Amino acid sequence: MRLHDVSVKPFEQVVDEHGPAVLRACRAILSPADADDAWSETFLAALRAYPQLRPGSNVRAWLVTIAHRKAIDVTRGAARRALPVGDVGNGAIHLGSDDRDLDLTRSLAALPDKQRYAVVYHYLIGLPYRDVAAVIGGTADAARRAAADGIAKLRRTHPSHTARKGHIE
């Protein structure tokens, strides 16, 4: 047994503590089915690497970094697979009143990757900008700028915000 193993939390406690935040991040970036897969893959990879985690590490940032990489893997894999489609219809989309939350998901998905990741990891997960930068690359200032740009674009384009401003046609 290594000396630092004595002070490390059991992995089950890590999952209980950080699992919901990692799932929120996965769901904000991926479809629900893909998010569940990425979450599972994240914690399988984390379980294997957990014994080597340095004491004092930011476990949430470490897990989000793994989830970020798993999300990229899922996205790349999906891009390589053909998707079956049924009747394509006339292309009209009809949104019901239950689609409010999906509007935010669509608005987030429309952001450039760096902005989307910065918004999700900082505002949804609560990582400080230095940790966001460690996950997505770049500096803390660049992560802050990407998040600010992403929030500004969401404010301009999200349906609930434009409705408050009186911009609905």
Side-chain angles (χ1 to χ4, degrees):
M1 179 184 292
R2 292 187 306 259
L3 181 60
H4 78 274
D5 285 344
V6 176
S7 64
V8 173
K9 293 180 185 178
F11 190 73
E12 294 80 14
Q13 187 176 349
V14 170
V15 174
D16 289 344
E17 186 176 334
H18 300 290
V22 172
L23 184 58
R24 280 194 310 271
C26 291
R27 286 186 175 165
I29 293 169
L30 300 165
S31 70
D34 288 340
D36 291 345
D37 290 345
W39 185 90
S40 297
E41 291 294 324
T42 296
F43 281 97
L44 285 173
L47 177 62
R48 288 188 293 273
Y50 189 62
Q52 285 76 40
L53 186 64
R54 285 178 283 172
S57 294
N58 182 334
V59 176
R60 181 169 287 196
W62 175 69
L63 289 168
V64 169
T65 300
I66 296 170
H68 176 76
R69 292 178 184 146
K70 296 300 178 184
I72 289 171
D73 292 346
V74 167
T75 303
R76 286 179 183 157
R80 290 187 292 258
R81 288 188 298 273
L83 296 175
V85 295
D87 180 26
V88 292
N90 65 3
I93 297 174
H94 302 285
L95 298 177
S97 62
D98 293 343
D99 292 326
R100 288 185 308 269
D101 291 338
L102 294 177
D103 292 340
L104 180 57
T105 301
R106 287 185 197 112
S107 296
L108 276 170
L111 292 175
D113 287 345
K114 288 256 184 186
Q115 289 178 11
R116 182 173 70 246
Y117 298 148
V119 168
V120 168
Y121 299 152
H122 181 71
Y123 290 102
L124 188 61
I125 304 304
L127 293 180
Y129 287 116
R130 73 175 182 285
D131 292 338
V132 173
V135 173
I136 66 175
T139 65
D141 288 337
R144 183 178 288 111
R145 178 79 262 155
D149 291 347
I151 291 293
K153 185 169 184 178
L154 287 173
R155 286 183 176 141
R156 287 191 311 272
T157 61
H158 190 265
S160 67
H161 189 307
T162 55
R164 284 192 297 265
K165 297 280 190 179
H167 291 106
I168 289 190
E169 300 174 337

